[in-house]
Amino acid sequence: MRVVLVGEASEHRENLLAAMPAAQAARTEVVDLPREAAYSSDFDHAFHPDDAVVTLRMQRGGAPLPPMRMLHVPGAGLDGIDIVRLSPETILCNVFEHEIPIAEYVLGAMLDWEIDFTALRASMTDGGWSDRYRSRTPHGELFGKTVAILGYGRIGQTVACRADAFGMRVIAVDPMMPDKTDPSGIAERIDHPRDLAEAAREADYLVVTCPLTDDSTGIVDARVLSALGTNGVVLNVSRAEVVDEGALYAALQDRTIRGASLDVWYRYPKGADDQVSPANHDFLALANVKATPHSCAWTRELSRRRYALIAANLAALEEGRPLLNRIRRDA
């Protein structure tokens, strides 16, 4: 089998091969292509109709994508794939495994907003120990706080489980199960997105874990941010565009919300040498923004789990067995 790794996927060649039995690895030809191959037809000659292609992105600006037997996304999000331009014969699969590190990141971010370890550590070196001890400032705690989780799928439910362990109150918002009872018993209720502002009004933290769709684009707008209020914090670990960029910047700059932890961004480099800013507004200059480079799920353990599943799917494809995480095009 010929497997084509595009862009970032090439960095995980060894994880893929290590997950294969020796016989499978021996008969697998792995081809690396640069990230530009995800966007430019100049590389289309390098794809073969029988290839299994692993890439996070594949777009041609409206032109058809090159023929391939399988396109396997090494992540959950499909917004980087121009699905309607794929050949109907191309099998499309994705992979999860990221809900654990993302949930840990979210809880860590919320703890940091309450405790602020950086400020506490700095206080130990700011003056004498005796004076610092006597003048120490109380910090907050998560216990009793309310978190509203926009998107109650794998990630949202994993966040809820960990928030519940800290004694937090959980409100979920999800279009697929509004007014339903959470089977786990964790979420107090599950609201429809039309009621997002009301959920935000009750929340100390608004966590964005929903996929980017036409309906979710910009759903966290000025009205929702106003409802969140001056004690509220936005944590976005999904896609930046779910939160209206201009409205978020204004709310942070004017401090009509307490702050934001942002791990996902409005612009990303496409080529190996691209230098782009993460957004149209200078979020990094705001003191109430805690920014990270789309790394909430980027753990040492994640890629091994993900590429083990991809290796298993490649073997299943060869042997004609059912595939894991196969995407229905009509869904």
Side-chain angles (χ1 to χ4, degrees), residues 24-90:
Q24 181 187 2
R27 64 176 181 268
T28 299
E29 177 189 358
V30 180
V31 177
D32 298 307
L33 292 180
R35 67 179 63 221
E36 288 84 356
Y39 302 100
S40 173
S41 60
D42 292 344
F43 294 85
D44 283 1
H45 68 277
F47 296 96
H48 299 173
D50 289 333
D51 286 346
V53 177
V54 182
T55 181
L56 282 167
R57 295 172 179 85
M58 184 63 70
Q59 299 172 337
R60 290 290 183 277
L65 299 179
M68 60 193 79
R69 186 179 180 189
M70 168 192 273
L71 194 158
H72 209 308
V73 180
L78 300 171
D79 49 290
I81 306 298
D82 193 353
I83 296 176
V84 298
R85 306 297 177 185
L86 274 177
S87 166
E89 288 75 35
T90 300

Short mmCIF file of all heavy atoms in Angstrom, two decimals, residues 24-90:
data_model
loop_
_atom_site.label_atom_id
_atom_site.label_comp_id
_atom_site.label_asym_id
_atom_site.label_seq_id
_atom_site.Cartn_x
_atom_site.Cartn_y
_atom_site.Cartn_z
N GLN A 24 3.03 -5.53 7.84
CA GLN A 24 2.31 -4.40 7.25
C GLN A 24 3.28 -3.27 6.93
O GLN A 24 3.20 -2.67 5.85
CB GLN A 24 1.22 -3.91 8.20
CG GLN A 24 0.41 -2.74 7.63
CD GLN A 24 -0.56 -2.15 8.65
OE1 GLN A 24 -0.63 -2.57 9.79
NE2 GLN A 24 -1.33 -1.14 8.22
N ALA A 25 4.19 -2.97 7.85
CA ALA A 25 5.16 -1.90 7.62
C ALA A 25 6.04 -2.20 6.41
O ALA A 25 6.38 -1.31 5.62
CB ALA A 25 6.01 -1.68 8.87
N ALA A 26 6.40 -3.48 6.23
CA ALA A 26 7.28 -3.86 5.14
C ALA A 26 6.64 -3.65 3.77
O ALA A 26 7.34 -3.35 2.80
CB ALA A 26 7.70 -5.31 5.31
N ARG A 27 5.34 -3.79 3.71
CA ARG A 27 4.67 -3.65 2.40
C ARG A 27 4.05 -2.26 2.21
O ARG A 27 3.33 -2.02 1.23
CB ARG A 27 3.59 -4.72 2.24
CG ARG A 27 2.45 -4.64 3.22
CD ARG A 27 1.37 -5.70 2.92
NE ARG A 27 0.26 -5.62 3.85
CZ ARG A 27 0.14 -6.31 4.98
NH1 ARG A 27 1.12 -7.18 5.30
NH2 ARG A 27 -0.90 -6.16 5.77
N THR A 28 4.34 -1.35 3.14
CA THR A 28 3.79 0.00 3.05
C THR A 28 4.86 0.96 2.55
O THR A 28 5.93 1.09 3.14
CB THR A 28 3.27 0.48 4.43
OG1 THR A 28 2.23 -0.40 4.87
CG2 THR A 28 2.73 1.90 4.34
N GLU A 29 4.57 1.63 1.45
CA GLU A 29 5.43 2.69 0.94
C GLU A 29 4.90 4.02 1.45
O GLU A 29 3.75 4.37 1.22
CB GLU A 29 5.43 2.69 -0.60
CG GLU A 29 6.25 3.82 -1.19
CD GLU A 29 6.07 3.96 -2.69
OE1 GLU A 29 5.33 3.15 -3.29
OE2 GLU A 29 6.67 4.90 -3.27
N VAL A 30 5.74 4.77 2.17
CA VAL A 30 5.32 6.05 2.74
C VAL A 30 5.97 7.18 1.94
O VAL A 30 7.19 7.21 1.75
CB VAL A 30 5.71 6.15 4.22
CG1 VAL A 30 5.27 7.51 4.79
CG2 VAL A 30 5.07 5.02 5.02
N VAL A 31 5.14 8.10 1.47
CA VAL A 31 5.59 9.25 0.67
C VAL A 31 5.28 10.52 1.45
O VAL A 31 4.15 10.70 1.93
CB VAL A 31 4.89 9.26 -0.70
CG1 VAL A 31 5.31 10.49 -1.50
CG2 VAL A 31 5.18 7.98 -1.47
N ASP A 32 6.24 11.41 1.58
CA ASP A 32 6.06 12.69 2.26
C ASP A 32 5.89 13.80 1.23
O ASP A 32 6.68 13.91 0.28
CB ASP A 32 7.26 13.01 3.14
CG ASP A 32 7.45 11.98 4.25
OD1 ASP A 32 6.48 11.72 4.97
OD2 ASP A 32 8.56 11.43 4.37
N LEU A 33 4.87 14.64 1.44
CA LEU A 33 4.66 15.82 0.60
C LEU A 33 4.61 17.05 1.50
O LEU A 33 4.15 16.98 2.64
CB LEU A 33 3.37 15.70 -0.20
CG LEU A 33 3.32 14.63 -1.30
CD1 LEU A 33 1.97 14.64 -1.99
CD2 LEU A 33 4.44 14.85 -2.31
N PRO A 34 5.03 18.20 1.01
CA PRO A 34 5.01 19.42 1.83
C PRO A 34 3.58 19.90 2.05
O PRO A 34 2.64 19.48 1.36
CB PRO A 34 5.80 20.42 0.99
CG PRO A 34 5.62 19.95 -0.41
CD PRO A 34 5.59 18.45 -0.34
N ARG A 35 3.42 20.80 2.99
CA ARG A 35 2.07 21.28 3.32
C ARG A 35 1.41 22.00 2.15
O ARG A 35 0.19 22.04 2.05
CB ARG A 35 2.10 22.18 4.56
CG ARG A 35 2.82 23.49 4.40
CD ARG A 35 2.76 24.31 5.68
NE ARG A 35 3.44 23.64 6.76
CZ ARG A 35 2.98 23.59 8.02
NH1 ARG A 35 1.83 24.15 8.32
NH2 ARG A 35 3.68 23.00 8.97
N GLU A 36 2.23 22.55 1.22
CA GLU A 36 1.66 23.22 0.06
C GLU A 36 0.83 22.26 -0.79
O GLU A 36 -0.06 22.69 -1.53
CB GLU A 36 2.78 23.84 -0.78
CG GLU A 36 3.43 25.06 -0.16
CD GLU A 36 4.52 24.72 0.84
OE1 GLU A 36 4.75 23.53 1.12
OE2 GLU A 36 5.16 25.67 1.34
N ALA A 37 1.12 20.96 -0.71
CA ALA A 37 0.37 19.98 -1.50
C ALA A 37 -1.10 19.90 -1.08
O ALA A 37 -1.93 19.39 -1.83
CB ALA A 37 1.02 18.60 -1.35
N ALA A 38 -1.41 20.43 0.10
CA ALA A 38 -2.81 20.44 0.54
C ALA A 38 -3.62 21.51 -0.18
O ALA A 38 -4.85 21.44 -0.22
CB ALA A 38 -2.89 20.67 2.05
N TYR A 39 -2.93 22.50 -0.78
CA TYR A 39 -3.64 23.64 -1.36
C TYR A 39 -3.39 23.84 -2.84
O TYR A 39 -4.21 24.45 -3.52
CB TYR A 39 -3.22 24.92 -0.62
CG TYR A 39 -3.48 24.89 0.86
CD1 TYR A 39 -2.45 24.63 1.76
CD2 TYR A 39 -4.75 25.12 1.37
CE1 TYR A 39 -2.68 24.59 3.13
CE2 TYR A 39 -4.99 25.09 2.73
CZ TYR A 39 -3.96 24.83 3.60
OH TYR A 39 -4.20 24.79 4.95
N SER A 40 -2.26 23.36 -3.35
CA SER A 40 -1.87 23.69 -4.71
C SER A 40 -1.99 22.50 -5.64
O SER A 40 -1.51 21.40 -5.34
CB SER A 40 -0.42 24.20 -4.73
OG SER A 40 0.02 24.38 -6.06
N SER A 41 -2.60 22.72 -6.80
CA SER A 41 -2.72 21.66 -7.80
C SER A 41 -1.37 21.31 -8.43
O SER A 41 -1.26 20.32 -9.16
CB SER A 41 -3.71 22.09 -8.89
OG SER A 41 -3.27 23.28 -9.52
N ASP A 42 -0.34 22.12 -8.13
CA ASP A 42 0.99 21.82 -8.66
C ASP A 42 1.51 20.47 -8.18
O ASP A 42 2.42 19.89 -8.79
CB ASP A 42 1.99 22.90 -8.22
CG ASP A 42 1.72 24.25 -8.88
OD1 ASP A 42 0.96 24.28 -9.87
OD2 ASP A 42 2.24 25.27 -8.39
N PHE A 43 0.94 19.96 -7.09
CA PHE A 43 1.38 18.69 -6.53
C PHE A 43 0.44 17.53 -6.86
O PHE A 43 0.67 16.41 -6.41
CB PHE A 43 1.52 18.81 -5.01
CG PHE A 43 2.60 19.75 -4.57
CD1 PHE A 43 2.35 21.10 -4.45
CD2 PHE A 43 3.88 19.27 -4.29
CE1 PHE A 43 3.35 21.97 -4.04
CE2 PHE A 43 4.87 20.14 -3.88
CZ PHE A 43 4.61 21.50 -3.76
N ASP A 44 -0.61 17.79 -7.65
CA ASP A 44 -1.61 16.76 -7.87
C ASP A 44 -1.05 15.54 -8.59
O ASP A 44 -1.55 14.42 -8.43
CB ASP A 44 -2.80 17.32 -8.66
CG ASP A 44 -3.72 18.17 -7.78
OD1 ASP A 44 -3.42 18.31 -6.58
OD2 ASP A 44 -4.73 18.68 -8.29
N HIS A 45 0.01 15.73 -9.36
CA HIS A 45 0.62 14.59 -10.06
C HIS A 45 1.23 13.59 -9.07
O HIS A 45 1.47 12.43 -9.42
CB HIS A 45 1.71 15.09 -11.01
CG HIS A 45 2.89 15.67 -10.30
ND1 HIS A 45 2.93 16.98 -9.84
CD2 HIS A 45 4.10 15.12 -9.93
CE1 HIS A 45 4.08 17.21 -9.24
NE2 HIS A 45 4.81 16.11 -9.28
N ALA A 46 1.50 14.05 -7.83
CA ALA A 46 2.14 13.17 -6.84
C ALA A 46 1.14 12.26 -6.14
O ALA A 46 1.55 11.36 -5.40
CB ALA A 46 2.88 14.02 -5.81
N PHE A 47 -0.16 12.47 -6.37
CA PHE A 47 -1.19 11.61 -5.78
C PHE A 47 -1.63 10.55 -6.79
O PHE A 47 -1.84 10.86 -7.97
CB PHE A 47 -2.41 12.44 -5.36
CG PHE A 47 -2.13 13.44 -4.27
CD1 PHE A 47 -1.84 14.76 -4.58
CD2 PHE A 47 -2.18 13.07 -2.94
CE1 PHE A 47 -1.58 15.70 -3.59
CE2 PHE A 47 -1.92 13.99 -1.93
CZ PHE A 47 -1.63 15.30 -2.25
N HIS A 48 -1.78 9.31 -6.31
CA HIS A 48 -2.23 8.21 -7.17
C HIS A 48 -3.63 7.78 -6.75
O HIS A 48 -3.98 7.90 -5.57
CB HIS A 48 -1.27 7.03 -7.06
CG HIS A 48 0.13 7.34 -7.50
ND1 HIS A 48 1.17 6.45 -7.35
CD2 HIS A 48 0.67 8.45 -8.10
CE1 HIS A 48 2.28 6.98 -7.83
NE2 HIS A 48 2.00 8.18 -8.28
N PRO A 49 -4.40 7.27 -7.68
CA PRO A 49 -5.79 6.89 -7.35
C PRO A 49 -5.91 5.83 -6.26
O PRO A 49 -6.94 5.77 -5.58
CB PRO A 49 -6.32 6.35 -8.69
CG PRO A 49 -5.48 7.02 -9.73
CD PRO A 49 -4.13 7.16 -9.12
N ASP A 50 -4.87 5.01 -6.06
CA ASP A 50 -4.93 3.96 -5.04
C ASP A 50 -4.30 4.39 -3.72
O ASP A 50 -4.20 3.58 -2.79
CB ASP A 50 -4.23 2.69 -5.53
CG ASP A 50 -5.03 2.01 -6.63
OD1 ASP A 50 -6.26 2.18 -6.65
OD2 ASP A 50 -4.41 1.31 -7.46
N ASP A 51 -3.90 5.65 -3.60
CA ASP A 51 -3.22 6.11 -2.39
C ASP A 51 -4.18 6.22 -1.21
O ASP A 51 -5.37 6.54 -1.36
CB ASP A 51 -2.62 7.51 -2.61
CG ASP A 51 -1.37 7.49 -3.47
OD1 ASP A 51 -0.83 6.40 -3.69
OD2 ASP A 51 -0.96 8.57 -3.92
N ALA A 52 -3.62 6.00 -0.02
CA ALA A 52 -4.25 6.43 1.22
C ALA A 52 -3.51 7.69 1.66
O ALA A 52 -2.29 7.65 1.87
CB ALA A 52 -4.15 5.35 2.29
N VAL A 53 -4.23 8.79 1.76
CA VAL A 53 -3.62 10.09 2.04
C VAL A 53 -3.98 10.51 3.46
O VAL A 53 -5.14 10.44 3.87
CB VAL A 53 -4.11 11.15 1.03
CG1 VAL A 53 -3.54 12.53 1.37
CG2 VAL A 53 -3.74 10.74 -0.39
N VAL A 54 -2.97 10.92 4.21
CA VAL A 54 -3.18 11.39 5.58
C VAL A 54 -2.84 12.88 5.61
O VAL A 54 -1.71 13.28 5.35
CB VAL A 54 -2.29 10.62 6.58
CG1 VAL A 54 -2.57 11.11 8.01
CG2 VAL A 54 -2.53 9.12 6.47
N THR A 55 -3.84 13.70 5.91
CA THR A 55 -3.64 15.15 5.94
C THR A 55 -4.75 15.82 6.73
O THR A 55 -5.89 15.34 6.74
CB THR A 55 -3.60 15.74 4.52
OG1 THR A 55 -3.38 17.16 4.60
CG2 THR A 55 -4.90 15.48 3.77
N LEU A 56 -4.40 16.92 7.38
CA LEU A 56 -5.40 17.71 8.10
C LEU A 56 -6.18 18.61 7.16
O LEU A 56 -7.30 19.01 7.47
CB LEU A 56 -4.71 18.57 9.16
CG LEU A 56 -4.28 17.87 10.45
CD1 LEU A 56 -3.34 18.77 11.25
CD2 LEU A 56 -5.49 17.49 11.29
N ARG A 57 -5.57 18.94 6.00
CA ARG A 57 -6.21 19.89 5.09
C ARG A 57 -6.05 19.41 3.66
O ARG A 57 -5.04 18.84 3.29
CB ARG A 57 -5.60 21.28 5.26
CG ARG A 57 -5.87 21.86 6.65
CD ARG A 57 -5.11 23.17 6.90
NE ARG A 57 -5.42 23.66 8.23
CZ ARG A 57 -4.81 23.29 9.35
NH1 ARG A 57 -3.83 22.40 9.28
NH2 ARG A 57 -5.16 23.78 10.52
N MET A 58 -7.08 19.70 2.85
CA MET A 58 -7.03 19.38 1.44
C MET A 58 -8.07 20.25 0.75
O MET A 58 -9.28 19.98 0.80
CB MET A 58 -7.29 17.90 1.20
CG MET A 58 -7.15 17.46 -0.26
SD MET A 58 -5.48 17.65 -0.95
CE MET A 58 -4.59 16.38 -0.07
N GLN A 59 -7.60 21.32 0.10
CA GLN A 59 -8.48 22.28 -0.55
C GLN A 59 -7.85 22.76 -1.84
O GLN A 59 -6.62 22.86 -1.93
CB GLN A 59 -8.78 23.47 0.37
CG GLN A 59 -9.47 23.10 1.68
CD GLN A 59 -9.57 24.27 2.63
OE1 GLN A 59 -8.80 25.24 2.55
NE2 GLN A 59 -10.50 24.19 3.56
N ARG A 60 -8.70 23.07 -2.82
CA ARG A 60 -8.20 23.55 -4.10
C ARG A 60 -8.95 24.80 -4.56
O ARG A 60 -9.06 25.06 -5.75
CB ARG A 60 -8.35 22.46 -5.17
CG ARG A 60 -7.42 21.28 -5.01
CD ARG A 60 -5.98 21.65 -5.31
NE ARG A 60 -5.11 20.49 -5.23
CZ ARG A 60 -4.59 20.03 -4.11
NH1 ARG A 60 -4.86 20.64 -2.96
NH2 ARG A 60 -3.80 18.98 -4.10
N GLY A 61 -9.50 25.56 -3.65
CA GLY A 61 -10.19 26.79 -4.03
C GLY A 61 -11.35 26.57 -4.96
O GLY A 61 -11.60 27.38 -5.87
N GLY A 62 -12.08 25.47 -4.77
CA GLY A 62 -13.24 25.19 -5.61
C GLY A 62 -12.98 24.19 -6.72
O GLY A 62 -13.93 23.70 -7.33
N ALA A 63 -11.72 23.88 -6.99
CA ALA A 63 -11.40 22.89 -8.02
C ALA A 63 -11.46 21.49 -7.41
O ALA A 63 -11.33 21.31 -6.20
CB ALA A 63 -10.00 23.15 -8.58
N PRO A 64 -11.67 20.46 -8.25
CA PRO A 64 -11.73 19.09 -7.72
C PRO A 64 -10.41 18.70 -7.06
O PRO A 64 -9.33 19.14 -7.47
CB PRO A 64 -11.99 18.25 -8.98
CG PRO A 64 -12.60 19.19 -9.96
CD PRO A 64 -11.97 20.52 -9.69
N LEU A 65 -10.52 17.86 -6.05
CA LEU A 65 -9.33 17.33 -5.40
C LEU A 65 -8.80 16.13 -6.18
O LEU A 65 -9.56 15.48 -6.90
CB LEU A 65 -9.68 16.92 -3.96
CG LEU A 65 -10.17 18.05 -3.05
CD1 LEU A 65 -10.51 17.51 -1.66
CD2 LEU A 65 -9.13 19.15 -2.95
N PRO A 66 -7.52 15.83 -6.04
CA PRO A 66 -6.97 14.70 -6.80
C PRO A 66 -7.60 13.39 -6.36
O PRO A 66 -8.02 13.25 -5.21
CB PRO A 66 -5.47 14.74 -6.44
CG PRO A 66 -5.40 15.49 -5.16
CD PRO A 66 -6.51 16.50 -5.21
N PRO A 67 -7.68 12.41 -7.27
CA PRO A 67 -8.26 11.11 -6.90
C PRO A 67 -7.38 10.39 -5.90
O PRO A 67 -6.15 10.46 -5.96
CB PRO A 67 -8.33 10.37 -8.23
CG PRO A 67 -7.30 11.02 -9.10
CD PRO A 67 -7.25 12.45 -8.67
N MET A 68 -8.01 9.69 -4.98
CA MET A 68 -7.30 8.89 -3.96
C MET A 68 -8.28 7.86 -3.42
O MET A 68 -9.49 8.05 -3.46
CB MET A 68 -6.76 9.80 -2.85
CG MET A 68 -7.83 10.58 -2.11
SD MET A 68 -7.16 11.92 -1.07
CE MET A 68 -6.85 13.20 -2.29
N ARG A 69 -7.73 6.77 -2.92
CA ARG A 69 -8.58 5.70 -2.40
C ARG A 69 -9.17 6.06 -1.04
O ARG A 69 -10.33 5.81 -0.76
CB ARG A 69 -7.78 4.41 -2.29
CG ARG A 69 -8.61 3.20 -1.89
CD ARG A 69 -7.73 1.96 -1.84
NE ARG A 69 -8.49 0.78 -1.45
CZ ARG A 69 -7.93 -0.39 -1.16
NH1 ARG A 69 -6.61 -0.53 -1.23
NH2 ARG A 69 -8.68 -1.42 -0.81
N MET A 70 -8.34 6.66 -0.18
CA MET A 70 -8.77 7.06 1.15
C MET A 70 -8.13 8.39 1.51
O MET A 70 -6.98 8.64 1.18
CB MET A 70 -8.38 6.01 2.20
CG MET A 70 -8.55 6.50 3.65
SD MET A 70 -7.78 5.40 4.87
CE MET A 70 -9.12 4.24 5.14
N LEU A 71 -8.91 9.23 2.18
CA LEU A 71 -8.35 10.41 2.80
C LEU A 71 -8.61 10.28 4.30
O LEU A 71 -9.76 10.22 4.74
CB LEU A 71 -8.98 11.70 2.26
CG LEU A 71 -8.24 13.00 2.61
CD1 LEU A 71 -8.61 14.10 1.63
CD2 LEU A 71 -8.53 13.48 4.03
N HIS A 72 -7.53 10.17 5.06
CA HIS A 72 -7.66 9.97 6.51
C HIS A 72 -7.18 11.24 7.21
O HIS A 72 -6.01 11.61 7.13
CB HIS A 72 -6.83 8.78 6.98
CG HIS A 72 -7.39 8.11 8.19
ND1 HIS A 72 -7.71 8.81 9.34
CD2 HIS A 72 -7.71 6.81 8.44
CE1 HIS A 72 -8.19 7.97 10.24
NE2 HIS A 72 -8.22 6.76 9.72
N VAL A 73 -8.09 11.93 7.86
CA VAL A 73 -7.74 13.13 8.61
C VAL A 73 -7.16 12.70 9.96
O VAL A 73 -7.80 11.94 10.69
CB VAL A 73 -8.99 14.02 8.82
CG1 VAL A 73 -8.63 15.28 9.60
CG2 VAL A 73 -9.60 14.39 7.47
N PRO A 74 -5.96 13.16 10.34
CA PRO A 74 -5.36 12.75 11.61
C PRO A 74 -5.84 13.59 12.78
O PRO A 74 -5.12 13.82 13.75
CB PRO A 74 -3.86 12.96 11.35
CG PRO A 74 -3.81 14.09 10.40
CD PRO A 74 -5.02 13.96 9.52
N GLY A 75 -7.07 14.04 12.70
CA GLY A 75 -7.71 14.81 13.74
C GLY A 75 -9.21 14.66 13.59
O GLY A 75 -9.69 13.93 12.71
N ALA A 76 -9.96 15.39 14.41
CA ALA A 76 -11.42 15.25 14.37
C ALA A 76 -12.07 16.23 13.41
O ALA A 76 -13.02 15.90 12.71
CB ALA A 76 -11.99 15.45 15.77
N GLY A 77 -11.56 17.48 13.36
CA GLY A 77 -12.20 18.51 12.56
C GLY A 77 -12.07 18.26 11.07
O GLY A 77 -11.01 17.87 10.57
N LEU A 78 -13.16 18.51 10.34
CA LEU A 78 -13.19 18.30 8.90
C LEU A 78 -13.29 19.61 8.12
O LEU A 78 -13.42 19.59 6.91
CB LEU A 78 -14.37 17.40 8.53
CG LEU A 78 -14.37 16.00 9.16
CD1 LEU A 78 -15.69 15.29 8.88
CD2 LEU A 78 -13.20 15.18 8.64
N ASP A 79 -13.21 20.74 8.82
CA ASP A 79 -13.38 22.02 8.14
C ASP A 79 -12.20 22.36 7.25
O ASP A 79 -12.29 23.26 6.41
CB ASP A 79 -13.60 23.14 9.17
CG ASP A 79 -12.57 23.13 10.28
OD1 ASP A 79 -12.61 22.21 11.10
OD2 ASP A 79 -11.72 24.04 10.32
N GLY A 80 -11.08 21.65 7.37
CA GLY A 80 -9.94 21.86 6.48
C GLY A 80 -10.01 21.04 5.21
O GLY A 80 -9.14 21.17 4.34
N ILE A 81 -11.04 20.20 5.08
CA ILE A 81 -11.20 19.33 3.91
C ILE A 81 -12.38 19.83 3.07
O ILE A 81 -13.48 20.01 3.59
CB ILE A 81 -11.45 17.87 4.32
CG1 ILE A 81 -10.35 17.38 5.28
CG2 ILE A 81 -11.54 16.98 3.08
CD1 ILE A 81 -8.96 17.36 4.70
N ASP A 82 -12.14 20.06 1.78
CA ASP A 82 -13.23 20.44 0.87
C ASP A 82 -13.96 19.16 0.45
O ASP A 82 -13.73 18.62 -0.62
CB ASP A 82 -12.64 21.17 -0.34
CG ASP A 82 -13.72 21.88 -1.16
OD1 ASP A 82 -14.92 21.68 -0.85
OD2 ASP A 82 -13.37 22.62 -2.08
N ILE A 83 -14.83 18.71 1.33
CA ILE A 83 -15.44 17.39 1.17
C ILE A 83 -16.22 17.28 -0.14
O ILE A 83 -16.17 16.24 -0.81
CB ILE A 83 -16.35 17.08 2.38
CG1 ILE A 83 -15.51 16.99 3.66
CG2 ILE A 83 -17.12 15.77 2.17
CD1 ILE A 83 -16.32 16.79 4.92
N VAL A 84 -16.90 18.34 -0.53
CA VAL A 84 -17.73 18.25 -1.74
C VAL A 84 -16.88 18.12 -3.00
O VAL A 84 -17.39 17.74 -4.05
CB VAL A 84 -18.67 19.47 -1.87
CG1 VAL A 84 -19.64 19.52 -0.69
CG2 VAL A 84 -17.89 20.77 -1.97
N ARG A 85 -15.57 18.42 -2.90
CA ARG A 85 -14.68 18.30 -4.06
C ARG A 85 -13.96 16.96 -4.10
O ARG A 85 -13.20 16.70 -5.04
CB ARG A 85 -13.63 19.42 -4.06
CG ARG A 85 -14.23 20.82 -3.98
CD ARG A 85 -15.08 21.14 -5.19
NE ARG A 85 -15.69 22.45 -5.06
CZ ARG A 85 -16.56 22.96 -5.92
NH1 ARG A 85 -16.91 22.27 -7.00
NH2 ARG A 85 -17.09 24.14 -5.73
N LEU A 86 -14.17 16.13 -3.10
CA LEU A 86 -13.60 14.79 -3.10
C LEU A 86 -14.36 13.91 -4.08
O LEU A 86 -15.58 14.02 -4.22
CB LEU A 86 -13.69 14.16 -1.72
CG LEU A 86 -12.57 14.42 -0.70
CD1 LEU A 86 -12.94 13.74 0.62
CD2 LEU A 86 -11.24 13.93 -1.21
N SER A 87 -13.64 12.99 -4.71
CA SER A 87 -14.31 12.00 -5.54
C SER A 87 -15.27 11.17 -4.69
O SER A 87 -14.94 10.83 -3.55
CB SER A 87 -13.27 11.08 -6.18
OG SER A 87 -13.89 9.93 -6.72
N PRO A 88 -16.46 10.84 -5.19
CA PRO A 88 -17.40 10.01 -4.41
C PRO A 88 -16.80 8.66 -4.02
O PRO A 88 -17.23 8.06 -3.04
CB PRO A 88 -18.58 9.82 -5.37
CG PRO A 88 -18.48 10.95 -6.34
CD PRO A 88 -17.02 11.24 -6.49
N GLU A 89 -15.80 8.19 -4.78
CA GLU A 89 -15.18 6.91 -4.47
C GLU A 89 -14.15 7.00 -3.34
O GLU A 89 -13.71 5.98 -2.82
CB GLU A 89 -14.49 6.34 -5.72
CG GLU A 89 -15.45 5.82 -6.78
CD GLU A 89 -16.12 6.94 -7.56
OE1 GLU A 89 -15.46 7.99 -7.78
OE2 GLU A 89 -17.30 6.79 -7.91
N THR A 90 -13.75 8.21 -2.98
CA THR A 90 -12.74 8.37 -1.93
C THR A 90 -13.36 8.14 -0.56
O THR A 90 -14.35 8.78 -0.20
CB THR A 90 -12.11 9.78 -1.99
OG1 THR A 90 -11.48 9.97 -3.25
CG2 THR A 90 -11.09 9.95 -0.87
#
